[in-house]
PDB file of all heavy atoms in Angstrom:
ATOM      1  N   TRP A 490       4.439 -33.489  34.146  1.00  0.00           N
ATOM      2  CA  TRP A 490       3.205 -32.779  34.411  1.00  0.00           C
ATOM      3  C   TRP A 490       2.028 -33.656  34.945  1.00  0.00           C
ATOM      4  O   TRP A 490       1.227 -33.230  35.736  1.00  0.00           O
ATOM      5  CB  TRP A 490       2.740 -31.987  33.231  1.00  0.00           C
ATOM      6  CG  TRP A 490       2.259 -32.753  32.043  1.00  0.00           C
ATOM      7  CD1 TRP A 490       2.947 -33.081  30.931  1.00  0.00           C
ATOM      8  CD2 TRP A 490       0.937 -33.263  31.841  1.00  0.00           C
ATOM      9  NE1 TRP A 490       2.178 -33.773  30.019  1.00  0.00           N
ATOM     10  CE2 TRP A 490       0.921 -33.909  30.572  1.00  0.00           C
ATOM     11  CE3 TRP A 490      -0.226 -33.285  32.597  1.00  0.00           C
ATOM     12  CZ2 TRP A 490      -0.194 -34.540  30.042  1.00  0.00           C
ATOM     13  CZ3 TRP A 490      -1.392 -33.875  32.063  1.00  0.00           C
ATOM     14  CH2 TRP A 490      -1.358 -34.518  30.837  1.00  0.00           C
ATOM     15  N   PRO A 491       1.929 -34.935  34.488  1.00  0.00           N
ATOM     16  CA  PRO A 491       0.766 -35.734  35.024  1.00  0.00           C
ATOM     17  C   PRO A 491       0.752 -35.864  36.542  1.00  0.00           C
ATOM     18  O   PRO A 491      -0.327 -35.867  37.144  1.00  0.00           O
ATOM     19  CB  PRO A 491       0.940 -37.099  34.355  1.00  0.00           C
ATOM     20  CG  PRO A 491       1.731 -36.814  33.100  1.00  0.00           C
ATOM     21  CD  PRO A 491       2.668 -35.706  33.481  1.00  0.00           C
ATOM     22  N   LYS A 492       1.947 -35.961  37.170  1.00  0.00           N
ATOM     23  CA  LYS A 492       1.987 -36.076  38.616  1.00  0.00           C
ATOM     24  C   LYS A 492       1.467 -34.824  39.298  1.00  0.00           C
ATOM     25  O   LYS A 492       0.681 -34.897  40.247  1.00  0.00           O
ATOM     26  CB  LYS A 492       3.446 -36.301  39.089  1.00  0.00           C
ATOM     27  CG  LYS A 492       4.025 -37.640  38.629  1.00  0.00           C
ATOM     28  CD  LYS A 492       5.469 -37.771  39.113  1.00  0.00           C
ATOM     29  CE  LYS A 492       6.074 -39.091  38.629  1.00  0.00           C
ATOM     30  NZ  LYS A 492       7.500 -39.219  39.045  1.00  0.00           N
ATOM     31  N   ALA A 493       1.810 -33.671  38.780  1.00  0.00           N
ATOM     32  CA  ALA A 493       1.343 -32.416  39.337  1.00  0.00           C
ATOM     33  C   ALA A 493      -0.147 -32.218  39.136  1.00  0.00           C
ATOM     34  O   ALA A 493      -0.867 -31.778  40.078  1.00  0.00           O
ATOM     35  CB  ALA A 493       2.122 -31.229  38.730  1.00  0.00           C
ATOM     36  N   VAL A 494      -0.623 -32.594  37.962  1.00  0.00           N
ATOM     37  CA  VAL A 494      -2.065 -32.451  37.684  1.00  0.00           C
ATOM     38  C   VAL A 494      -2.870 -33.364  38.578  1.00  0.00           C
ATOM     39  O   VAL A 494      -3.975 -32.973  39.048  1.00  0.00           O
ATOM     40  CB  VAL A 494      -2.360 -32.766  36.213  1.00  0.00           C
ATOM     41  CG1 VAL A 494      -3.846 -32.826  35.917  1.00  0.00           C
ATOM     42  CG2 VAL A 494      -1.737 -31.672  35.310  1.00  0.00           C
ATOM     43  N   LEU A 495      -2.389 -34.590  38.852  1.00  0.00           N
ATOM     44  CA  LEU A 495      -3.070 -35.517  39.766  1.00  0.00           C
ATOM     45  C   LEU A 495      -3.117 -34.927  41.146  1.00  0.00           C
ATOM     46  O   LEU A 495      -4.172 -34.986  41.845  1.00  0.00           O
ATOM     47  CB  LEU A 495      -2.380 -36.874  39.723  1.00  0.00           C
ATOM     48  CG  LEU A 495      -2.946 -37.929  40.666  1.00  0.00           C
ATOM     49  CD1 LEU A 495      -4.447 -38.198  40.267  1.00  0.00           C
ATOM     50  CD2 LEU A 495      -2.122 -39.219  40.598  1.00  0.00           C
ATOM     51  N   ALA A 496      -1.978 -34.398  41.590  1.00  0.00           N
ATOM     52  CA  ALA A 496      -1.942 -33.802  42.953  1.00  0.00           C
ATOM     53  C   ALA A 496      -2.869 -32.567  43.029  1.00  0.00           C
ATOM     54  O   ALA A 496      -3.547 -32.387  44.049  1.00  0.00           O
ATOM     55  CB  ALA A 496      -0.511 -33.368  43.269  1.00  0.00           C
ATOM     56  N   SER A 497      -2.957 -31.803  41.979  1.00  0.00           N
ATOM     57  CA  SER A 497      -3.825 -30.640  41.946  1.00  0.00           C
ATOM     58  C   SER A 497      -5.316 -31.081  41.920  1.00  0.00           C
ATOM     59  O   SER A 497      -6.161 -30.370  42.476  1.00  0.00           O
ATOM     60  CB  SER A 497      -3.560 -29.782  40.670  1.00  0.00           C
ATOM     61  OG  SER A 497      -2.337 -29.131  40.849  1.00  0.00           O
ATOM     62  N   PHE A 498      -5.582 -32.217  41.286  1.00  0.00           N
ATOM     63  CA  PHE A 498      -6.947 -32.730  41.316  1.00  0.00           C
ATOM     64  C   PHE A 498      -7.431 -32.992  42.745  1.00  0.00           C
ATOM     65  O   PHE A 498      -8.521 -32.538  43.157  1.00  0.00           O
ATOM     66  CB  PHE A 498      -7.022 -34.046  40.500  1.00  0.00           C
ATOM     67  CG  PHE A 498      -8.334 -34.776  40.707  1.00  0.00           C
ATOM     68  CD1 PHE A 498      -9.510 -34.388  40.103  1.00  0.00           C
ATOM     69  CD2 PHE A 498      -8.343 -35.933  41.515  1.00  0.00           C
ATOM     70  CE1 PHE A 498     -10.671 -35.055  40.290  1.00  0.00           C
ATOM     71  CE2 PHE A 498      -9.568 -36.615  41.708  1.00  0.00           C
ATOM     72  CZ  PHE A 498     -10.701 -36.208  41.131  1.00  0.00           C
ATOM     73  N   VAL A 499      -6.555 -33.596  43.560  1.00  0.00           N
ATOM     74  CA  VAL A 499      -6.923 -33.925  44.919  1.00  0.00           C
ATOM     75  C   VAL A 499      -7.053 -32.639  45.741  1.00  0.00           C
ATOM     76  O   VAL A 499      -8.032 -32.426  46.484  1.00  0.00           O
ATOM     77  CB  VAL A 499      -5.854 -34.867  45.554  1.00  0.00           C
ATOM     78  CG1 VAL A 499      -6.175 -35.075  47.053  1.00  0.00           C
ATOM     79  CG2 VAL A 499      -5.813 -36.158  44.828  1.00  0.00           C
ATOM     80  N   ALA A 500      -6.042 -31.751  45.582  1.00  0.00           N
ATOM     81  CA  ALA A 500      -6.036 -30.501  46.399  1.00  0.00           C
ATOM     82  C   ALA A 500      -7.210 -29.576  46.017  1.00  0.00           C
ATOM     83  O   ALA A 500      -7.871 -29.034  46.901  1.00  0.00           O
ATOM     84  CB  ALA A 500      -4.714 -29.779  46.186  1.00  0.00           C
ATOM     85  N   THR A 501      -7.455 -29.458  44.721  1.00  0.00           N
ATOM     86  CA  THR A 501      -8.505 -28.548  44.272  1.00  0.00           C
ATOM     87  C   THR A 501      -9.897 -29.104  44.619  1.00  0.00           C
ATOM     88  O   THR A 501     -10.805 -28.318  44.885  1.00  0.00           O
ATOM     89  CB  THR A 501      -8.398 -28.305  42.764  1.00  0.00           C
ATOM     90  OG1 THR A 501      -7.062 -27.972  42.388  1.00  0.00           O
ATOM     91  CG2 THR A 501      -9.311 -27.147  42.319  1.00  0.00           C
ATOM     92  N   LEU A 502     -10.046 -30.420  44.550  1.00  0.00           N
ATOM     93  CA  LEU A 502     -11.347 -30.995  44.908  1.00  0.00           C
ATOM     94  C   LEU A 502     -11.698 -30.646  46.346  1.00  0.00           C
ATOM     95  O   LEU A 502     -12.852 -30.254  46.636  1.00  0.00           O
ATOM     96  CB  LEU A 502     -11.274 -32.514  44.751  1.00  0.00           C
ATOM     97  CG  LEU A 502     -12.591 -33.285  44.938  1.00  0.00           C
ATOM     98  CD1 LEU A 502     -13.675 -32.824  43.983  1.00  0.00           C
ATOM     99  CD2 LEU A 502     -12.367 -34.784  44.845  1.00  0.00           C
ATOM    100  N   MET A 503     -10.719 -30.727  47.229  1.00  0.00           N
ATOM    101  CA  MET A 503     -10.976 -30.329  48.654  1.00  0.00           C
ATOM    102  C   MET A 503     -11.284 -28.834  48.762  1.00  0.00           C
ATOM    103  O   MET A 503     -12.211 -28.455  49.473  1.00  0.00           O
ATOM    104  CB  MET A 503      -9.782 -30.730  49.531  1.00  0.00           C
ATOM    105  CG  MET A 503      -9.588 -32.209  49.655  1.00  0.00           C
ATOM    106  SD  MET A 503      -8.319 -32.642  50.854  1.00  0.00           S
ATOM    107  CE  MET A 503      -6.840 -32.153  49.991  1.00  0.00           C
TER     108      MET A 503
END
Side-chain angles (χ1 to χ4, degrees):
W490 70 262
K492 295 179 181 178
V494 171
L495 179 59
S497 288
F498 168 76
V499 176
T501 311
L502 184 60
M503 292 188 290

